[in-house]
Amino acid sequence: MKGFMKALALLMGVVFLLSTAGASAGSNYMVPTGLKDISTVPRSFFVNPDGTPNVKIVVGSYARAEDVASAADIAAALGSILYKEEEAKDIAVKLRKASETDVVLQQVVYRYDYDTMTIDHNLPYNSGLINWSKSYDELPADYWYNGAGYTTNYTTWASSFSAQFKVKVGDSVNGNYLYGWDIDIKGLSLSPIDPADWDGTAPPKQADIKIPSRGISVSVDYTLYNYTVVKDEIVREAYPEWGVPEERNVTTESRIGNSAAVEKDNGTIVGVISPGVAAGDEFTLLGIKYHVFSVGANSFTAGEVLGTGWFAQNESKMLGNSRWKITLIGANPLEESAIVTVVDTKTGEIYGPAVLKLGEPTNVVVSGDTIELQLKLEALSENLILGKIAQISGYGDIKTYSSGTEVDYGGQRWLMSVDSDGQYIKGIALTNEDELVGNPLNILNIYTIEYSFEMKSLNEKDVEFDINRDGSITDTSYVVAKATITILENNPKVNELVLSVGDKVPGTDYVVAGFDGVKNLVIRTPTQPLTLLDTEVNFASSGSNYILVGSNRANLLTSMIFGRYHLPTDFRVWFGEYPVLGYIPKCDLLGGKGVIIVAGATPEATRKAATILMQYIAGLS
């Protein structure tokens, strides 16, 4: 009967998948409605006529290691059609992978399991667990803060939430990245996606994070210190059976940094190297570079550095990463001047012509008290091939900043607080003016805060153990649950690794698969990676087709394409370990290039989908 019920559940799950997710079944995988079966993908999707790759494999920046393993296998499979048969087996694959050290803070905010029952709630481990919850609806209300030794309810937890962390290296002054940040978050709460499905007892299954106005404070200290750090290292372990003591080596290191770095390193300040940022300095604030024109009492005047570029006669181009397109109309080395026009690509407004004198700043666009664009002719050069050339630099949004000034970061309003003495900027702090809501929740385009809930079930019969300690083993399942708040860096460091067939993928038990019938072993190290991170894809210039590895929760591009094509975005409705494969011959989101989606409800299901695609690619060789 139990086996029959499992079979019935599987059948009902597949029926539910077909009716809810709008998918059609391939021979051994699912094809979302609106996408084509991969059996229609031509060989030209993968390889150009000259034998070079015509495809990039895209992995999510925060994908699990199993997705990277799937990408490695697909890349190795491409070797079977990019190279001759005798070269295919040990073809090396260059992978791009996000760093595994992206988490800057993680808090378990609810935990219900054996340890929290017996340790935090002092239930007798041999008799006090008979009321162990069997479902989500039975989860108790007073297991918030568990994992930290507390017992409380959601309301108390939310009203007292606090998270602080320090970033050792964040901002720079005149190119020296030695200035870390202090970040303080208070008043975080959860807003359930379906309010009717949450009574405030156990953590919501799905929820947005909500941070009230003034709930986040980000501060940077621009005073630079020389400080020392004591390092105590074990150079020899102890061997007590033989009476051999451990040997330690204590050293003192000298370092340079601001107060956040000193505190993070538990250092001792020796002296002050720099009292702060002065007029004429260039410094970054949360990654944006400013040039300081003057410093006042608790105020300073600065503009965003837009960069410098050389312009040929009648050449038009953007200045740095700004919204301003500059056109050089003409230049006269004898008069040391140049004439330019400017287009605001955001509004379409045209400004000029403006005459720039060598070495003299010219305000081209002014709005109220803000100089939106200032240009300066830095140099002139005679070039016999290209004609007269001018080097132009620019600053944008030049204005006076003081305590209470409102600034915009990523569409979010933040209020600034300035600590300056008329000569030096000592420190700057920002606090959010807007209420921030989302999951994941973007903070200043630098950090992402995520909420996650996980619940698992275990049957006493399956493990032949009396889980709830009631004296008998029955066909009953009991649940454990955990809710977590995680803070991640938005832009993890990218690592490259080269793997050959048979190599183990770091962080997994998987090895890169090979192909049978290969005669010789020839290793070729590629000059460029076949894989990209989802954050590295250039939408404006898509030079190849794409294979997207990972579900919409693991891969940003998969999520965007599912939204564009109205595909099912919640992978939990995709039943069990079923692999998902779909083909879009021309994706308008990626410049009309072809896309293959390799996905699944879990990384293991995604890996199954990758294996099926590998077999298809190998068949094209």
Side-chain angles (χ1 to χ4, degrees):
M1 177 60 70
K2 187 175 180 181
F4 171 76
M5 293 304 292
K6 285 186 175 180
L8 179 61
L10 176 62
L11 175 62
M12 293 303 293
V14 173
V15 171
F16 175 71
L17 167 64
L18 294 175
S19 61
T20 304
S24 57
S27 57
N28 53 355
Y29 56 90
M30 303 305 297
V31 181
T33 300
L35 274 62
K36 295 182 180 294
D37 193 286
I38 64 164
S39 61
T40 63
V41 180
R43 188 177 188 275
S44 59
F45 176 94
F46 304 100
V47 60
N48 292 310
D50 62 358
T52 58
N54 189 33
V55 67
K56 290 287 187 181
I57 304 165
V58 181
V59 184
S61 299
Y62 299 103
R64 288 173 54 179
E66 289 85 348
D67 282 356
V68 177
S70 298
D73 269 353
I74 295 171
L78 286 172
S80 67
I81 56 176
L82 295 175
Y83 301 95
K84 293 181 296 184
E85 181 180 292
E86 63 269 17
E87 298 175 341
K89 186 173 182 180
D90 269 5
I91 178 66
V93 178
K94 184 181 284 189
L95 291 172
R96 294 182 71 77
K97 183 177 183 297
S99 170
E100 298 293 341
T101 58
D102 304 323
V103 175
V104 295
L105 183 72
Q106 189 168 66
Q107 283 192 11
V108 175
V109 299
Y110 181 99
R111 200 175 114 204
Y112 176 75
D113 56 22
Y114 176 81
D115 284 342
T116 56
M117 290 183 211
T118 57
I119 298 174
D120 294 333
H121 283 71
N122 298 313
L123 297 178
Y125 69 89
N126 59 349
S127 62
L129 310 180
I130 56 174
N131 292 321
W132 195 314
S133 299
K134 298 184 284 295
S135 67
Y136 173 81
D137 293 334
E138 294 182 3
L139 289 174
D142 58 345
Y143 277 69
W144 290 85
Y145 264 135
N146 273 309
Y150 297 99
T151 58
T152 190
N153 58 26
Y154 166 76
T155 303
T156 303
W157 167 80
S159 64
S160 58
F161 178 88
S162 178
Q164 297 84 31
F165 60 99
K166 297 179 183 295
V167 182
K168 185 176 179 181
V169 179
D171 276 319
S172 70
V173 176
N174 297 326
N176 297 312
Y177 284 85
L178 299 167
Y179 302 81
W181 304 326
D182 278 291
I183 300 178
D184 190 356
I185 303 174
K186 293 181 179 178
L188 183 147
S189 61
L190 300 174
S191 177
I193 300 300
D194 184 0
D197 195 34
W198 189 52
D199 61 4
T201 302
K205 298 174 185 177
Q206 287 185 296
D208 282 333
I209 295 167
K210 184 182 293 186
I211 298 177
S213 175
R214 315 295 173 88
I216 301 180
S217 174
V218 182
S219 59
V220 58
D221 176 10
Y222 287 108
T223 303
L224 200 60
Y225 303 97
N226 180 17
Y227 65 99
T228 58
V229 176
V230 176
K231 296 185 66 177
D232 186 356
E233 298 176 316
I234 297 176
V235 296
R236 184 188 65 206
E237 298 288 346
Y239 297 88
E241 297 92 337
W242 290 272
V244 178
E246 70 176 14
E247 184 178 337
R248 309 183 74 91
N249 183 35
V250 179
T251 59
T252 301
E253 289 186 359
S254 293
R255 298 180 182 178
I256 297 173
N258 70 344
S259 57
V262 174
E263 190 168 347
K264 190 173 179 65
D265 289 342
N266 194 26
T268 300
I269 294 175
V270 176
V272 175
I273 293 178
S274 171
V277 182
D281 287 341
E282 289 189 353
F283 77 102
T284 64
L285 177 61
L286 301 175
I288 297 178
K289 184 184 288 187
Y290 295 91
H291 177 87
V292 180
F293 293 94
S294 63
V295 178
N298 296 322
S299 68
F300 65 93
T301 300
E304 184 179 346
V305 177
L306 304 181
T308 302
W310 282 95
F311 290 77
Q313 187 85 19
N314 296 319
E315 181 181 10
S316 299
K317 63 181 179 181
M318 307 296 287
L319 192 60
N321 293 319
S322 73
R323 69 183 200 259
W324 306 104
K325 178 181 284 188
I326 314 297
T327 300
L328 178 64
I329 303 301
N332 189 334
L334 295 178
E335 295 184 4
E336 297 185 333
S337 64
I339 300 175
V340 299
T341 58
V342 175
V343 175
D344 184 347
T345 58
K346 185 177 180 181
T347 64
E349 289 286 330
I350 301 175
Y351 301 89
V355 178
L356 308 181
K357 291 290 187 178
L358 187 64
E360 298 179 9
T362 299
N363 298 332
V364 179
V365 183
V366 180
S367 176
D369 295 329
T370 301
I371 301 170
E372 294 196 31
L373 178 64
Q374 182 185 93
L375 297 178
K376 183 168 71 171
L377 182 60
E378 299 283 358
L380 289 163
S381 174
E382 288 281 359
N383 188 295
L384 297 178
I385 298 175
L386 299 178
K388 298 167 184 175
I389 292 182
Q391 186 185 43
I392 300 171
S393 66
Y395 300 105
D397 294 329
I398 301 173
K399 61 183 177 182
T400 298
Y401 295 86
S402 59
S403 295
T405 297
E406 185 178 292
V407 293
D408 183 282
Y409 281 91
Q412 300 169 350
R413 294 185 303 157
W414 293 74
L415 293 181
M416 181 181 288
S417 177
V418 179
D419 177 14
S420 61
D421 60 4
Q423 188 174 4
Y424 294 101
I425 303 172
K426 303 286 189 181
I428 295 175
L430 294 172
T431 185
N432 61 304
E433 177 69 1
D434 295 324
E435 179 184 61
L436 304 177
V437 180
N439 186 29
L441 177 60
N442 177 51
I443 303 297
L444 296 163
N445 287 332
I446 299 173
Y447 295 101
T448 295
I449 307 179
E450 295 181 351
Y451 165 78
S452 62
F453 174 77
E454 179 185 14
M455 188 176 72
K456 296 184 289 187
S457 178
L458 188 65
N459 189 283
E460 287 189 334
K461 281 285 188 181
D462 289 343
V463 293
E464 289 298 318
F465 188 84
D466 182 14
I467 294 174
N468 72 335
R469 279 71 170 176
D470 66 350
S472 61
I473 298 174
T474 63
D475 186 13
T476 307
S477 295
Y478 299 95
V479 299
V480 295
K482 182 172 71 173
T484 307
I485 298 291
T486 304
I487 302 177
L488 305 136
E489 292 183 8
N490 278 6
N491 298 302
K493 294 180 180 178
V494 178
N495 300 319
E496 285 192 353
L497 60 157
V498 176
L499 302 175
S500 296
V501 173
D503 286 349
K504 185 178 179 180
V505 178
T508 74
D509 294 327
Y510 300 123
V511 297
V512 181
F515 300 91
D516 297 330
V518 178
K519 301 172 184 177
N520 300 315
L521 305 181
V522 179
I523 296 179
R524 285 193 176 187
T525 302
T527 58
Q528 292 186 351
L530 284 172
T531 59
L532 295 173
L533 298 179
D534 50 7
T535 55
E536 296 177 320
V537 174
N538 187 342
F539 293 91
S541 178
S542 302
S544 64
N545 298 317
Y546 294 98
I547 299 172
L548 310 184
V549 179
S551 74
N552 64 299
R553 290 186 173 276
N555 192 310
L556 174 64
L557 261 68
T558 303
S559 177
M560 293 173 68
I561 285 175
F562 272 36
R564 175 68 64 92
Y565 288 88
H566 306 292
L567 300 174
T569 55
D570 191 343
F571 263 72
R572 291 176 306 172
V573 305
W574 292 31
F575 192 77
E577 295 294 311
Y578 226 80
V580 177
L581 283 164
Y583 170 48
I584 305 173
K586 292 184 178 181
C587 179
D588 55 2
L589 187 65
L590 292 170
K593 295 296 182 180
V595 172
I596 294 175
I597 291 176
V598 181
T602 64
E604 292 74 20
T606 298
R607 186 157 177 79
K608 291 179 183 178
T611 301
I612 296 167
L613 179 60
M614 285 172 59
Q615 295 167 349
Y616 178 75
I617 294 172
L620 296 174
S621 61

